[in-house]
Amino acid sequence: MQDAIKPLAFLSVCITLNAPGLAQAQSSASVPPSIVTPDKVESRIGTLEFEDGMPSKETLDKVYENLDLTHAVRAFADNLRGVSIYMLRKGMRDIGVKDNEVIVFSELMDAKSLFLTANADTVYVMGSLDLTKGPMVLEVPPQVLGTVQDAWFRWVIDVGLPGPDRGEGGKYLIVPPDYDGPLPQGGFNVARARTNNAVWFARAFLENNNDPKPVAERIRKFTKVYPYNAGGVGTSVAEFLAGKAKLGKITQPAPTVFHEGSGKVMNTIPPNDMSFYEMLNEVVQQEPATSLDPELMGPVAAIGIVKGKPFAPDARMKKILEEAMKIANATSRTLIMNPRDRSWFYYDDANWQNMLFVTGYEFQTPIPMITKEGVKPFPDTGYRQLDARQAFFYGVTGITPAMAMRLTGIGSTYLWTMMDSDNNYFDGSKTYKVTLPKNVPAEKFWSWTLYDTMTRSMLDTPQRYPRAGSQSYPSPAAETARDGSITVYFSPEQPDGVPRGNWIQTIPGKSFFPILRLYSPLEPFFNKQWRPSEVELVE
């Protein structure tokens, strides 16, 4: 009898396990609730519906539209710098400066040109390099501070005072990414770019703080741009005899073409409309497919910008790109105009900011400390501070280690503020003052410059050069008080009793922000023993 019961019991168990309700209950019990997608999900993009995990048609539309929007916002945020370089090249072309030519601002740059936070203190010299036909030589003059940037606004090499020539002038060979030909054995500072196009620019101090003409003449005398002649200067006969290089003739390069920049009007500001994506596409088409990190190129490709393919967004995608531009531009502007990250501020209790001290020029690791024992670098953080990079390139042109260093007596350093001492934005119809304590820690000179919050370019007023400082050109030097301090006023009209050199004009109805520059800064700035006052509202 017992043997007869066993088959029946087994059959009963099998039937029970195959009952639909119990099977579903046991299956559900084995799935953790944390991985289950509910039938309905309320989100920022609306109600998302899933039947047994499968998205509805309405959900598909919402999710993919949001995904395309996200990619388009990232394409702007991560690659604004590439379009910024594109606009620098375009701005120069628009006033007649071709690739491999040079523009010199013999009487300084003024507020008529739209140029991200340029200064009116130094003589600018700049140009773009076309590397598609091979390496290019850039000969820089003595006593300049400069850098070479690739088409994605990445640092290639410094030139001049912060570069290997250390301000003595020198030859730089900029090599394109795929070049595998012979390189010089000596005589050149060789740097390899990762793109087919590059931009270089440099600044030179005025002589005796008041005359740009001799400086401009020196720049024109010593600056040269020309193709590299393999086998010529830089190649030894011994190298040729060893079969390592060809031997070419020593030939003089063609004269460099110079253009005058002072008084010219050019726009170098990246747009914040649909044309941004069109320009980004042009950069992608001009450069090698591998010129940008694949992770950065991913969102660009996702919105239809791919090397070797036409960029032809349909009506739906154009609408998404236009919406993405509004969000991306608003985010970039917010990040620089009112940052929430207090680490970007130079002092714990003040509005003066410069994120590079904590992010470094690669927005990854704080700039090294300089001590009596030598350089003490910080450990690599292992991550990129994306908000800082986005904010920086929205407002600034040029990135180099020389902009982010605590080394005294060389280069320049900057502080800016978007708000007054009461944490209000600046009003061009009101009067403000800011005071520098005695012994301003600048070996060369110092200056204030006012910028238009909309264009991030110099504030365009009848003064033409919206600056005040210790040098007496292009406006009178600021006068010092009896206690050694220096107070400068920002207002639409020159305040009574305030010397011309201590006043920068503003525009009613137009906001602005000031930048303090210290040229060849000294230790009291870096150890924070010296600091400017906040910008105070007078009336």
Side-chain angles (χ1 to χ4, degrees):
M1 186 64 178
Q2 292 294 329
D3 291 340
I5 292 174
K6 287 182 180 179
L8 291 174
F10 177 75
L11 180 61
S12 174
V13 170
C14 290
I15 293 173
T16 301
L17 289 178
N18 281 283
L22 184 57
Q24 183 177 2
Q26 289 194 352
S27 176
S28 298
S30 65
V31 177
S34 61
I35 70 171
V36 173
T37 301
D39 291 342
K40 285 190 177 182
V41 177
E42 298 298 332
S43 74
R44 179 172 292 186
I45 62 175
T47 301
L48 306 178
E49 299 177 335
F50 299 89
E51 183 177 348
D52 195 23
M54 303 303 291
S56 66
K57 172 63 169 63
E58 293 77 10
T59 296
L60 289 172
D61 292 342
K62 292 175 184 177
V63 168
Y64 279 124
E65 185 158 322
N66 183 69
L67 182 60
D68 290 338
L69 180 73
T70 301
H71 288 319
V73 170
R74 278 205 60 194
F76 181 97
D78 293 339
N79 302 304
L80 171 67
R81 52 209 177 116
V83 177
S84 190
I85 283 285
Y86 177 91
M87 281 300 298
L88 272 170
R89 296 179 64 221
K90 182 179 183 301
M92 288 189 281
R93 288 198 306 269
D94 288 346
I95 59 172
V97 184
K98 301 176 183 177
D99 289 338
N100 306 328
E101 297 180 348
V102 179
I103 182 171
V104 183
F105 291 80
S106 301
E107 296 181 10
L108 310 187
M109 189 183 296
D110 63 24
K112 293 299 181 184
S113 282
L114 297 177
F115 203 103
L116 292 173
T117 50
N119 71 66
D121 304 313
T122 60
V123 178
Y124 277 102
V125 54
M126 64 185 70
S128 57
L129 302 175
D130 178 4
L131 304 175
T132 57
K133 297 178 182 178
M136 292 293 297
V137 178
L138 169 63
E139 294 190 21
V140 300
Q143 298 303 306
V144 299
L145 300 91
T147 187
V148 180
Q149 317 272 255
D150 76 6
W152 293 109
F153 230 138
R154 293 172 300 204
W155 177 70
V156 177
I157 193 171
D158 285 330
V159 302
L161 288 164
D165 72 88
R166 300 293 298 278
E168 297 297 312
K171 295 181 179 181
Y172 290 79
L173 184 65
I174 311 303
V175 183
D178 297 326
Y179 179 79
D180 59 359
L183 291 173
Q185 196 175 29
F188 295 85
N189 300 297
V190 179
R192 187 175 290 272
R194 288 180 278 177
T195 58
N196 294 325
N197 297 281
V199 166
W200 67 276
F201 37 82
R203 298 162 295 154
F205 299 143
L206 276 57
E207 291 194 354
N208 301 318
N209 287 342
N210 62 7
D211 192 357
K213 292 183 179 60
V215 178
E217 291 174 3
R218 183 172 68 242
I219 289 172
R220 290 175 181 271
K221 178 180 179 181
F222 290 103
T223 303
K224 296 179 181 179
V225 179
Y226 53 90
Y228 171 62
N229 178 26
V233 173
T235 301
S236 68
V237 174
E239 198 175 15
F240 163 71
L241 294 175
K244 297 180 180 180
K246 71 174 186 178
L247 203 60
K249 294 182 178 180
I250 305 298
T251 58
Q252 291 299 315
T256 299
V257 176
F258 287 92
H259 298 261
E260 178 54 57
S262 294
K264 298 288 180 66
V265 177
M266 62 178 178
N267 174 28
T268 67
I269 310 297
N272 52 309
D273 59 15
M274 186 63 187
S275 63
F276 173 90
Y277 294 106
E278 294 165 355
M279 292 180 184
L280 180 58
N281 177 60
E282 292 194 43
V283 178
V284 170
Q285 302 307 326
Q286 292 171 2
E287 301 303 333
T290 56
S291 68
L292 193 63
D293 185 281
E295 293 289 335
L296 292 175
M297 192 66 85
V300 178
I303 62 173
I305 298 176
V306 178
K307 175 77 171 180
K309 296 183 179 180
F311 175 50
D314 57 20
R316 169 190 166 276
M317 195 63 194
K318 284 183 179 179
K319 184 178 179 181
I320 290 174
L321 293 175
E322 289 169 357
E323 181 66 17
M325 178 53 64
K326 295 175 185 177
I327 296 170
N329 179 68
T331 303
S332 303
R333 178 170 288 278
T334 297
L335 283 169
I336 192 169
M337 297 298 173
N338 202 332
R340 64 181 179 179
D341 189 339
R342 281 299 309 180
S343 73
W344 297 7
F345 292 79
Y346 193 60
Y347 307 103
D348 293 336
D349 57 347
N351 285 325
W352 297 110
Q353 59 176 290
N354 184 336
M355 72 283 284
L356 294 183
F357 285 98
V358 293
T359 70
Y361 79 101
E362 291 187 315
F363 306 96
Q364 184 169 332
T365 303
I367 61 176
M369 300 297 294
I370 307 296
T371 69
K372 293 180 180 180
E373 291 74 32
V375 178
K376 289 190 175 181
F378 289 91
D380 193 322
T381 63
Y383 62 88
R384 192 90 61 210
Q385 297 194 40
L386 300 179
D387 288 354
R389 184 178 68 185
Q390 185 174 351
F392 181 87
F393 282 107
Y394 193 77
V396 181
T397 293
I399 190 68
T400 156
M403 293 181 69
M405 62 182 181
R406 293 184 171 92
L407 189 61
T408 61
I410 189 172
S412 53
T413 196
Y414 319 88
L415 290 179
W416 61 86
T417 180
M418 302 299 178
M419 291 177 285
D420 65 17
S421 58
D422 295 321
N423 295 323
N424 295 317
Y425 298 130
F426 295 106
D427 183 340
S429 66
K430 297 179 179 180
T431 298
Y432 302 85
K433 68 176 182 178
V434 60
T435 299
L436 302 180
K438 66 178 181 180
N439 300 324
V440 179
E443 186 176 282
K444 296 291 185 181
F445 63 97
W446 60 267
S447 77
W448 290 106
T449 308
L450 296 190
Y451 295 91
D452 184 326
T453 52
M454 184 60 69
T455 65
R456 293 91 72 200
S457 303
M458 284 189 279
L459 190 65
D460 189 6
T461 72
Q463 284 185 332
R464 186 182 176 191
Y465 302 100
R467 50 84 62 194
S470 58
Q471 69 181 26
S472 56
Y473 186 95
S475 55
E479 297 184 17
T480 304
R482 289 183 179 180
D483 64 357
S485 67
I486 303 161
T487 300
V488 173
Y489 290 78
F490 312 142
S491 61
E493 302 292 337
Q494 186 173 346
D496 293 339
V498 173
R500 170 62 184 85
N502 295 63
W503 168 60
I504 306 178
Q505 189 173 24
T506 59
I507 306 171
K510 167 60 65 179
S511 189
F512 64 88
F513 64 93
I515 292 184
L516 170 65
R517 286 179 170 87
L518 304 178
Y519 292 92
S520 297
L522 301 175
E523 184 61 25
F525 172 78
F526 295 118
N527 63 25
K528 302 182 182 180
Q529 292 179 353
W530 179 97
R531 59 185 284 182
S533 75
E534 292 284 83
V535 182
E536 301 174 0
L537 176 65
V538 177
E539 59 180 6

